[in-house]
Amino acid sequence: MDLDVLMARELTRQYGPLLSGDNLRIALGYPSKEAYRMALVRKSIPVPVFELENRRGKFALTLDVARWLVAERTKAVQTGKKGEEE
């Protein structure tokens, strides 16, 4: 089974279909609420975030976060392999 499917299943099991607040901040790797807030202000969050009517905060689909995490890991692994070949 693909890593992105496994990651999406696990995150969905833990958090449901949407991430928000501290769960979203932690999943994206921001070390503090302030760092997360600044990323929101700068529009540099690496996944689509959105608001929901009559709800506070920003939300992201758990699937988008899972895909992003796997993509970042894949880049890191490929970069590591290139460094080993030299």
Side-chain angles (χ1 to χ4, degrees):
M1 189 171 297
D2 290 337
L3 182 57
D4 57 339
V5 173
L6 291 172
M7 179 67 83
R9 281 186 183 173
E10 181 60 22
L11 288 177
T12 300
R13 185 188 66 75
Q14 287 183 359
Y15 304 110
L18 293 175
L19 284 161
S20 67
D22 279 341
N23 291 334
L24 178 57
R25 175 185 65 81
I26 292 166
L28 293 175
Y30 290 101
S32 68
K33 290 180 181 182
E34 185 62 19
Y36 174 67
R37 186 188 72 75
M38 288 306 299
L40 283 170
V41 168
R42 294 178 178 142
K43 298 185 186 323
S44 63
I45 301 287
V47 297
V49 292
F50 51 91
E51 296 178 356
L52 291 174
E53 190 174 340
N54 300 320
R55 302 288 185 273
R56 286 185 174 183
K58 302 287 186 182
F59 297 83
L61 293 178
T62 304
L63 180 59
D64 288 341
V65 173
R67 286 178 177 158
W68 175 76
L69 287 169
V70 171
E72 290 300 302
R73 180 198 179 270
T74 301
K75 283 194 284 190
V77 169
Q78 290 172 348
T79 299
K81 286 183 180 176
K82 288 179 185 174
E84 292 172 7
E85 293 171 1
E86 294 176 14

